[in-house]
Amino acid sequence: MPKGSNVPVPTTALRVELGWRSGPGVPDADASALLLVGGRVRSDGDFVFYNQPAHGSGAVRHEGKRDAGGRVTDTLLVDLARVEGAVETVVLAASTDGGSFGQVPDLYIEVRDAAQGSVAARFDSTGATVETAFVLGEFYRRQGSWKFRAVGQGYGSGLEGLATDFGITVDEPQHAAPPVAPPVTPPPAVHVPPPPAAPPAQQPVSLSKVTLTKASPTVSLAKQGGTSGALRVNLNWEVRKQFSGWGGKRGRAVALHSDLDLDLCALYELADGRKGVVQALGNAFGALDRPPYVHLDGDDRTGAVAAGENLTVNLDHKQDLRRLLVFVTIYEGARSFADLHATVTLQPQHGAPVEFSLDECTVPSPVCALALITNEGGDLVVRREARYLVPERGVSPQRTVDRAYGWGMNWTPGRK
């Protein structure tokens, strides 16, 4: 589509993909959406992005990022049938982290029918220079139906400038307080009725985040504000091709079953030396209010960012934790992680989220070590592992992870 053109789109669930070509010196980019009434948001809840991944109506959801084959994509799911009647426009935007869009090659936005996979619209954005945010496109209502318009409007003020232009309140650094004036003798007291109570102030939106990479794989939770409360670890995934792993004489991929089931797990070692595993197998779901202070929330088969596989760590007991290794296994539906694109997000209750994508799997691996969290002088440090492991014949994925990281546990068969 040329810039400024429009095309009708079906009033259904649409997958909006922001994509670009990766490489040395290419900054990261993030997709976001704003739901507008009269050209502005109604509240900060109408802003959907990496720190606020779902709209309250369920109409827009940030699905996460994928990095495979030299291409990076960040995806939004927009269900136009669920967009509230007052909302006239859904703006589809992008922002860079660590550079400008002039350094981002082959930038595009593509709209697909989420169920059928057919392409409804595509806009290739060219000619960017110093812009750090872009409105790439928008859905808008016209005579009871929806259309997509290719916009291509750039901003030099990043995601913050774009968001504030549409009415979002963004969290800003605190400035020093003004000097205190000398005391003044008050006049005689006069009774004045108190003013009516003001509604509670809305908390500003925080745009901070941390992305772990091979070049920069670790982060301190304390330095990001994650010192207490709950730490939520989320794994979401997407299968791009109908393959499941390795088979045949040359290790070629074989057909993927529809009932793909991934299990998020964690090996833990407590400060007193006790060790164990948190996993669905054997109903070893853990607990937050007692050792190991780690709990597996449930079992999901969709990979959606709003659900996915979730693990929670009680940071109020971080002094009781020596190390925690978060890993994922394929329980059924595939024999390898090949063509499975996944994103890991660690979201502290108080602090910036930490995220990273898994590398492309090129070995017949049914188990992947995701992140290693270690207690270093009272501070929890997160290390990106993204390490695919290949078990020996007859060795379980759990035992394989144990051997690779020296946990030294005894294992027995389990079911869920």
Side-chain angles (χ1 to χ4, degrees):
M1 295 177 60
K3 180 177 178 179
S5 63
N6 62 76
V7 63
V9 293
T11 305
T12 183
L14 300 171
R15 182 160 281 112
V16 180
E17 180 180 277
L18 165 72
W20 65 95
R21 180 161 47 87
S22 60
V26 177
D28 194 21
D30 297 289
S32 57
L34 300 107
L35 287 77
L36 308 183
V37 177
R40 293 179 67 82
V41 298
R42 296 163 296 180
S43 72
D44 290 350
D46 284 339
F47 185 28
V48 177
F49 69 120
Y50 49 80
N51 271 7
Q52 196 164 266
H55 190 260
S57 67
V60 183
R61 187 176 75 224
H62 182 240
E63 290 199 318
K65 200 167 292 182
R66 308 285 184 267
D67 187 349
R71 305 290 305 181
V72 184
T73 59
D74 199 8
T75 307
L76 299 163
L77 185 68
V78 181
D79 190 345
L80 294 177
R82 300 180 66 178
V83 175
E84 299 151 297
V87 175
E88 303 156 347
T89 310
V90 180
V91 168
L92 306 168
S95 58
T96 55
D97 185 6
S100 69
F101 276 107
Q103 303 165 276
V104 180
D106 300 342
L107 179 67
Y108 70 88
I109 185 171
E110 188 171 82
V111 179
R112 289 179 174 268
D113 185 298
Q116 304 298 326
S118 56
V119 177
R122 179 183 171 110
F123 170 52
D124 291 274
S125 181
T126 59
T129 54
V130 298
E131 297 87 352
T132 50
F134 258 100
V135 173
L136 291 173
E138 64 182 16
F139 295 120
Y140 65 98
R141 294 185 195 264
R142 181 59 54 88
Q143 297 178 347
S145 60
W146 286 93
K147 289 188 173 184
F148 172 81
R149 178 185 288 119
V151 178
Q153 177 184 349
Y155 290 73
S157 50
L159 184 59
E160 179 178 352
L162 183 149
T164 53
D165 266 10
F166 289 105
I168 297 294
T169 305
V170 176
D171 192 11
E172 297 180 353
Q174 296 295 316
H175 300 286
V180 179
V184 178
T185 303
V190 177
H191 175 71
V192 178
Q202 181 171 288
Q203 293 296 317
V205 171
S206 173
L207 302 182
S208 61
K209 70 164 184 172
V210 178
T211 301
L212 299 183
T213 63
K214 287 182 179 179
S216 181
T218 62
V219 65
S220 158
L221 284 182
K223 291 180 180 178
Q224 302 303 321
T227 57
S228 62
L231 170 67
R232 179 174 175 266
V233 183
N234 172 267
L235 172 73
N236 71 87
W237 63 89
E238 178 185 355
V239 179
R240 288 291 180 85
K241 300 177 182 178
Q242 295 302 301
F243 297 144
S244 72
W246 301 78
K249 295 181 179 179
R250 299 186 179 180
R252 59 185 176 82
V254 296
L256 175 73
H257 300 291
S258 60
D259 57 348
L260 177 65
D261 186 6
L262 302 186
D263 282 347
L264 192 63
C265 315
L267 290 175
Y268 64 83
E269 182 179 2
L270 302 181
D272 60 11
R274 284 180 289 175
K275 299 177 183 179
V277 63
V278 175
Q279 61 178 7
L281 283 176
N283 294 320
F285 287 94
L288 289 178
D289 59 349
R290 60 184 185 277
Y293 307 108
V294 181
H295 182 256
L296 180 63
D297 296 359
D299 189 24
D300 179 72
R301 296 191 178 195
T302 66
V305 70
E309 289 277 314
N310 295 285
L311 192 80
T312 305
V313 182
N314 188 346
L315 296 183
D316 293 333
H317 286 271
K318 62 180 181 293
Q319 72 278 3
D320 297 308
L321 186 67
R322 181 173 294 167
R323 57 177 177 158
L324 181 73
L325 178 68
V326 182
F327 65 100
V328 60
T329 67
I330 299 176
Y331 183 70
E332 63 180 15
R335 294 204 296 266
S336 169
F337 284 104
D339 295 299
L340 187 77
H341 306 282
T343 301
V344 180
T345 303
L346 295 89
Q347 177 65 71
Q349 186 174 341
H350 310 289
V354 177
E355 68 173 18
F356 60 89
S357 296
L358 297 187
D359 300 320
E360 186 172 5
C361 180
T362 58
V363 295
S365 169
V367 57
C368 180
L370 301 177
L372 181 64
I373 304 174
T374 54
N375 192 324
E376 300 183 9
D379 178 21
L380 294 184
V381 175
V382 178
R383 178 179 179 84
R384 175 190 188 270
E385 294 293 313
R387 180 182 175 187
Y388 295 105
L389 301 171
V390 181
E392 298 177 3
R393 183 180 296 274
V395 177
S396 70
Q398 288 84 349
R399 191 186 297 270
T400 300
V401 174
D402 184 325
R403 289 178 179 177
Y405 287 87
W407 235 262
M409 293 171 56
N410 295 319
W411 296 91
T412 58
R415 289 186 175 184
K416 65 173 182 175

